[in-house]
């Protein structure tokens, strides 16, 4: 049974930073490409960034330079370091292995950025 537990969200002022964590169980974590996704109120869930099993990363163009994804295969954990946060980054953030249609979504972690 796959479980995804996200944490680290919170309320932060614009320009601040947060580090999100996602602990994964029930899969061979080290073999999976992992993604961070977000869903803002009234919008569809979107891919923020991903990291392959070999550590190759991919970012949405608008987020390059502010967000950094990393992983610790020994801890079955994927991280998202978010710097210089903007109000438009406000959303619920989720992690998921790819392809996402194979796996359940976790509860996500709320990130709220105040102006």
């Amino acid at each position: 049974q796959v479980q995804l537990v996200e944490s680290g969200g919170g309320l932060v002022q614009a320009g601040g930073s947060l580090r999100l964590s996602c602990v994964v169980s029930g899969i061979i974590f080290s073999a999976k490409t992992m993604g961070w996704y977000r869903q803002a109120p009234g919008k569809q869930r979107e891919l923020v960034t991903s990291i392959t099993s070999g550590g190759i990363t991919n970012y949405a163009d608008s987020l390059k330079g502010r967000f950094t994804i990393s992983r610790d295969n020994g801890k079955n954990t994927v991280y998202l370091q978010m710097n210089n946060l903007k109000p438009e980054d406000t959303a619920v953030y989720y992690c998921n292995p790819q392809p996402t249609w194979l796996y359940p979504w976790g509860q996500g972690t709320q990130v709220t950025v105040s102006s």
Side-chain angles (χ1 to χ4, degrees):
Q1 182 178 355
V2 179
Q3 287 193 318
L4 306 154
V5 180
E6 301 94 343
S7 62
L11 174 63
V12 63
Q13 289 188 331
S17 298
L18 285 173
R19 189 192 194 207
L20 308 184
S21 300
C22 174
V23 179
V24 184
S25 60
I27 62 170
I28 303 174
F29 177 81
S30 60
K32 296 294 184 181
T33 292
M34 293 297 302
W36 278 100
Y37 301 78
R38 68 184 183 185
Q39 187 167 21
K43 295 187 177 181
Q44 288 191 333
R45 189 175 290 158
E46 62 177 354
L47 175 65
V48 172
T49 178
S50 63
I51 184 167
T52 69
S53 58
I56 297 172
T57 58
N58 186 52
Y59 296 91
D61 287 343
S62 61
L63 301 174
K64 286 180 180 177
R66 296 195 299 122
F67 288 15
T68 303
I69 189 172
S70 61
R71 66 191 297 161
D72 184 336
N73 289 336
K75 295 182 178 180
N76 281 15
T77 302
V78 60
Y79 303 97
L80 182 64
Q81 178 67 44
M82 305 186 295
N83 298 327
N84 191 22
L85 283 161
K86 303 177 180 181
E88 52 264 41
D89 295 320
T90 294
V92 179
Y93 284 72
Y94 304 86
C95 72
N96 208 294
Q98 294 183 348
T100 58
W101 59 269
L102 279 175
Y103 306 102
W105 293 95
Q107 84 287 350
T109 186
Q110 175 71 48
V111 171
T112 303
V113 185
S114 64
S115 56

